[in-house]
Amino acid sequence: MDEQTIKRIQSDPNYQKLVAERTSFGWTLTIITLVIYYGFIALVAFAPSVIAVPVAGSITIGIILGVAIIIASILLTGIYVMRANSQYDELNNAIVNAAGMGGK
Amino acid sequence: MTRLIKSGALATLILAASSAAYAADAAGPATDWNAVLIFAAFVLLTLGITYWAAMRTRTAKDFYAAGGSITGLQNGLAIAGDYMSAASFLGISALVFSAGYYGLIYSIGFLVGWPIIMFLMAEPLRNLGRYTFADVASYRLQATPIRAMAATGTLVTVLFYLIAQMVGAGQLIQLLFGLDYLYAVILVGILMVIYVTFGGMIATTWVQIIKAGLLLVGATLMALLVLAAFGFDFNALIAKAIEVHPQHDKIMLPGAAVANPISAISLGMALMFGTAGLPHILMRFFTVRDAKEARKSVFWATTFIGYFYILTFIIGFGAIVMVGPDPAYHVGGDITKGLIGGANMPAIHLAAAVGGDLMKGFIAAVAFATILAVVSGLTLSGASAVSHDLYASVFRHGRVDEAAEVRASRITTVVLGIVAIILGVIFQKINVAFMVGLAFAVAASANFPVLLLSMLWKGLTTRGAFIGGFVGLICAVGLTVVSPGIWEAVFGNAKGSAWFPYTSPAIFSMPLGFFCCWLFSVTDNSATAAKERAAYEAQFVRSQTGIGAEKAAAH
């Protein structure tokens, strides 16, 4: 890629939109993941007895939280893929075509 | 070459059969013929695949990255396969068996790294890299120092992880196949070298996919059989586990091992960010066609791994109930003594308890296949670091043809195979889970900061990355050596004499790695540093759009 192509892509409104949206979406989801996980670790570290509190029969808060974090991890990655496959790929194709770098 | 594969395979089978037969005559653990036969079928199938892959491995891209021809779903399974090592399967179910809920904390830590990889790394990684993560880190930085640093980080991580896998393999095979530890380790070494040298990434990926499928099927079956024994009432399983476990309701607490909050957070950091710095996992992102497939790979991998960890939790609790109180699974039929075959064996004994000898044979064979597949992936990534990063870039400055580079990789594979066998024998007594934790800590402190900053931070310079990476690496290894796990348990110093009191160094070594990357970058006023910062724009455009990215081989 030469300097000019780079400049052209950088000034493409689609490119600016893609970078801005994907970056903020990616970091939002990252922060959500970190808050969930370190919230859990903080509970484990500073209030371990809460983990063992039973909620339904012998099933404890800890088990429910644990399974919920596993499911949340899968859902969050799924949400990202869904959004990326529709919106971001469309924007990206437009950028690639506009830059005359098609024929992938 | 094909003749070599055949004779190698034949020699391996003869070695396995004769040693098993020998062991069957001798005293010691009886040979489990179900396990031997199922495993032999796996070996024959995978050698067939290696033969097929060897015919298709023509270029360096085929060898390192399977020609970029793997689909997202296939790669997701292969990544899950790399990740669901024997340490995960046997180790975590054993951890649940002995400490209850504590095991689930490990699983969660192992899993939550995946969303982070997805959101911040998967796409730029695919768009910038070719064969190794050093390609990405050195994209706009100076190749020689950065590749040297990345290759060192790769080799250290790979070696720690390899030791853990080899030791696990040796113990497992010794127990199940009645094979001497030394022969078991040699058998794993030979098979792994055959897969990698002849079949490269294509064979390694397919071995991994088959094994991941088998492991998921086996673990699902076991979890279902455990639940079926309780009329599919999960509550009843937990209640019974609390009743029969020697620690009773304490097993629902996070465990004594996280009594120390710093240790808990530090371990959490190592597990979460270490995943994003494991070279054999990062390498898998270059086997798919484009960023879109890379993205799908992470989604599938996260799904399979998350599902698998829920299964290991059920399996661990099943073992508490069905293996723990049963004298038949304990040394000398005494439940106050340890399990037959060692502390990592609850899942194997549980298989016998819920499904009889055939199930046990199947699970044992799958566990062995798991080790073999993970060891192959690790070795390929270590060999790539030596041939692609050290040999081709650092020593020959890129003046080397593809064929010579691949040849160097094959030679390195053989050397790594021999080194792995020797280390497996030397470290026979080491705690497997601990070695895996150490590999994660190094990956989180050295590889991850350099890789992440090279992709996301304009200011990173060669000096910053080189110093930061090595400081993270040295700090992680150094603190581990003076932590209780090595200082007291391995060196035999007095209890409480370790200088570093925590179980994982990551809480100090990872931020220090990042800090040094930052400090030695911002204070770098050289002309090359200015050029490297200026080159970020072009790198960023490519990382975002994939324009100019390494294409899949034309098929």
Side-chain angles (χ1 to χ4, degrees):
Chain A
M1 256 190 303
D2 54 76
E3 197 110 330
Q4 252 187 329
T5 319
I6 292 165
K7 286 268 176 303
R8 209 164 59 226
I9 294 172
Q10 282 176 328
S11 59
D12 184 339
N14 279 332
Y15 174 78
Q16 291 160 0
K17 190 171 173 219
L18 174 74
V19 171
E21 284 188 8
R22 184 159 59 192
T23 307
S24 76
F25 191 55
W27 280 104
T28 309
L29 291 180
T30 300
I31 290 166
I32 293 174
T33 311
L34 291 174
V35 167
I36 293 176
Y37 179 55
Y38 284 98
F40 171 73
I41 290 294
L43 196 65
V44 165
F46 298 110
S49 57
V50 177
I51 294 289
V53 172
V55 273
S58 299
I59 295 175
T60 58
I61 291 183
I63 293 179
I64 291 178
L65 279 179
V67 174
I69 294 174
I70 290 175
I71 293 172
S73 300
I74 296 171
L75 285 182
L76 287 173
T77 52
I79 289 169
Y80 182 86
V81 171
M82 266 172 25
R83 181 143 172 196
N85 281 356
S86 53
Q87 293 175 26
Y88 301 155
D89 278 352
E90 214 167 276
L91 279 173
N92 206 17
N93 287 338
I95 297 162
V96 173
N97 289 333
M101 305 291 261
K104 214 173 167 180
Chain B
M1 180 185 290
T2 54
R3 213 172 54 227
L4 262 172
I5 298 184
K6 281 180 191 154
S7 49
L10 197 67
T12 316
L13 288 176
I14 291 172
L15 174 71
S18 57
S19 336
Y22 165 79
D25 294 337
T31 306
D32 184 334
W33 287 106
N34 289 320
V36 172
L37 288 176
I38 296 169
F39 182 70
F42 174 82
V43 169
L44 282 178
L45 175 68
T46 49
L47 286 174
I49 287 172
T50 306
Y51 180 77
W52 167 81
M55 317 278 273
R56 273 157 192 74
T57 303
R58 293 185 197 94
T59 63
K61 193 179 171 91
D62 291 333
F63 185 81
Y64 290 122
S69 60
I70 306 293
T71 69
L73 175 60
Q74 289 165 351
N75 195 40
L77 257 179
I79 290 176
D82 264 323
Y83 211 60
M84 298 182 296
S85 63
S88 284
F89 178 54
L90 300 179
I92 291 186
S93 53
L95 209 53
V96 175
F97 173 75
S98 63
Y101 188 73
Y102 181 51
L104 189 63
I105 298 176
Y106 256 90
S107 304
I108 291 169
F110 279 126
L111 185 70
V112 287
W114 284 102
I116 306 288
I117 292 180
M118 170 73 105
F119 307 146
L120 300 181
M121 297 173 70
E123 294 163 273
L125 201 58
R126 177 63 193 85
N127 284 339
L128 294 173
R130 248 175 114 205
Y131 305 145
T132 63
F133 86 89
D135 291 336
V136 180
S138 66
Y139 187 84
R140 70 189 158 94
L141 305 180
Q142 289 168 46
T144 305
I146 297 303
R147 283 189 191 271
M149 187 266 130
T152 311
T154 298
L155 285 174
V156 172
T157 314
V158 163
L159 282 178
F160 284 141
Y161 220 119
L162 259 183
I163 293 173
Q165 301 296 331
M166 292 303 271
V167 171
Q171 291 174 347
L172 188 69
I173 301 170
Q174 192 174 18
L175 169 75
L176 296 161
F177 298 4
L179 202 61
D180 192 65
Y181 181 88
L182 180 67
Y183 290 128
V185 168
I186 292 175
L187 180 69
V188 172
I190 292 176
L191 280 171
M192 164 259 271
V193 167
I194 293 175
Y195 292 150
V196 177
T197 41
F198 297 112
M201 186 52 115
I202 302 177
T204 307
T205 302
W206 281 102
V207 168
Q208 202 58 271
I209 291 173
I210 293 171
K211 163 244 142 162
L214 286 173
L215 184 57
L216 286 168
V217 168
T220 304
L221 255 175
M222 271 173 76
L224 284 178
L225 287 170
V226 165
L227 289 174
F230 287 86
F232 291 95
D233 181 355
F234 184 62
N235 219 328
L237 169 65
I238 303 283
K240 185 76 183 167
I242 293 173
E243 184 194 323
V244 302
H245 196 282
Q247 296 176 34
H248 300 292
D249 58 353
K250 289 212 174 55
I251 59 169
M252 303 316 288
L253 283 164
V258 283
N260 182 336
I262 307 254
S263 281
I265 294 167
S266 191
L267 183 67
M269 284 175 72
L271 298 182
M272 182 175 209
F273 298 109
T275 305
L278 290 178
H280 64 301
I281 301 275
L282 294 170
M283 204 178 170
R284 292 227 163 270
F285 286 94
F286 310 125
T287 66
V288 292
R289 195 176 63 227
D290 52 24
K292 182 176 189 153
E293 295 299 314
R295 212 188 278 148
K296 283 194 212 157
S297 316
V298 184
F299 173 71
W300 284 117
T302 312
T303 307
F304 291 128
I305 296 166
Y307 170 68
F308 176 73
Y309 283 147
I310 293 177
L311 296 179
T312 53
F313 191 63
I314 298 171
I315 290 169
F317 268 88
I320 291 177
V321 174
M322 297 178 185
V323 175
D326 191 335
Y329 302 114
H330 292 260
V331 177
D334 181 351
I335 60 164
T336 60
K337 296 203 176 122
L339 286 178
I340 295 171
N344 286 322
M345 292 298 136
I348 305 290
H349 291 311
L350 180 68
V354 292
D357 284 345
L358 191 62
M359 186 72 181
K360 182 182 170 196
F362 177 67
I363 294 297
V366 169
F368 188 20
T370 294
I371 294 173
L372 199 49
V374 172
V375 163
S376 305
L378 283 167
T379 304
L380 179 59
S381 113
S384 308
V386 171
S387 63
H388 183 61
D389 298 326
L390 288 183
Y391 173 70
S393 293
V394 176
F395 295 121
R396 303 287 299 270
H397 301 287
R399 287 188 297 273
V400 56
D401 64 50
E402 270 200 358
E405 191 183 317
V406 171
R407 197 160 53 238
S409 201
R410 291 196 161 114
I411 294 168
T412 313
T413 303
V414 176
V415 173
L416 276 176
I418 296 167
V419 171
I421 291 169
I422 294 170
L423 290 178
V425 172
I426 293 175
F427 289 98
Q428 189 173 348
K429 299 273 183 269
I430 200 138
N431 178 326
V432 170
F434 181 76
M435 286 308 268
V436 170
L438 179 55
F440 270 78
V442 171
S445 311
N447 308 348
F448 174 65
V450 171
L451 181 61
L452 188 77
L453 292 178
S454 74
M455 293 193 296
L456 299 183
W457 184 43
K458 183 182 176 175
L460 187 73
T461 69
T462 299
R463 193 177 82 164
F466 184 80
I467 297 177
F470 270 112
V471 167
L473 174 73
I474 292 165
C475 180
V477 175
L479 287 180
T480 304
V481 169
V482 296
S483 76
I486 296 270
W487 192 253
E488 292 164 19
V490 177
F491 292 163
N493 289 305
K495 210 167 162 52
S497 67
W499 306 341
F500 183 73
Y502 309 116
T503 45
S504 170
I507 195 170
F508 300 105
S509 56
M510 188 180 115
L512 188 68
F514 270 107
F515 175 75
C516 290
C517 282
W518 171 80
L519 181 71
F520 291 98
S521 290
V522 292
T523 55
D524 187 352
N525 297 317
S526 62
T528 46
K531 236 187 273 170
E532 285 160 5
R533 289 186 196 106
Y536 181 75
E537 294 297 328
Q539 179 195 308
F540 189 70
V541 168
R542 171 165 158 178
S543 81
Q544 290 291 316
T545 61
I547 294 173
E550 189 73 14
K551 296 286 191 299
H555 280 295

